[in-house]
Amino acid sequence: RLQLQSPAKLNLMLHITGRLADGYHELQTVFQFIELYDQLQFEITDDGSISRPQGAMDIAEDDDLVVRAARLLQDRYRVSSGVRIQLDKHIPVGGGLGGGSSDAAATLLALARLTAPTTSTDGRDPGIDLHALAGGLGSDVPFFLDPRPALGTGRGERLEPIASTLRARVVLLNPGFP
């Protein structure tokens, strides 16, 4: 068993610089994590199944990024064990705070730790390349593998750590809809 918190993020700046051939926007952004977290608990199972009995109310289990992340790691690296994921949502769904992406990154980190002896976020280790997996799940998922202030370019997946730029208090308002 493993419990993790997954943080929310703000985009302190977002500049669209063009459109990529795959239809995504090319951008420059500054990511900053904030102290708002989802809670995740992972329990490895022997049967190979992946389940998320508790999560965001409006997201079907098969569509949830945590389930997609777990299946991607399981398929790509032929992991035979399964996992039961409990997700306690505190980050609003559809609020632009990266909750789903953060939960997916936490899932990759947890399962790599629980099921594989070697991991890598930068591809230098011959083990699991979490950065490559994260980028395939979503543009801002790689940020959450090591959530520290960063300049994001490309689709947001190319990251360069920077000094924290957030020097003010932030008030987040949730209107109750995405």
Side-chain angles (χ1 to χ4, degrees), residues 71-81 115 128:
R71 287 183 179 150
L72 180 63
L73 188 139
Q74 185 183 53
D75 291 344
R76 183 81 46 92
Y77 293 97
R78 295 180 177 91
V79 175
S80 61
S81 57
T115 64
I128 296 174

Side-chain angles (χ1 to χ4, degrees), residues 99-150:
S101 295
S102 183
D103 296 341
T107 299
L108 292 175
L109 290 166
L111 295 184
R113 187 181 308 166
L114 291 169
T115 64
T118 59
T119 62
S120 171
T121 57
D122 60 11
R124 289 184 290 199
D125 188 301
I128 296 174
D129 184 351
L130 295 181
H131 196 272
L133 291 177
L137 290 166
S139 297
D140 59 356
V141 178
F143 166 72
F144 291 106
L145 292 174
D146 184 14
R148 54 189 169 152

Side-chain angles (χ1 to χ4, degrees), residues 3 13 20 39 43 46 68 70 83 86-87 143 145 152:
Q3 286 187 251
M13 177 273 297
L20 300 168
Q39 307 285 331
E43 182 178 349
D46 293 330
R68 290 178 44 211
V83 65
Q86 294 289 333
L87 173 58
F143 166 72
L145 292 174

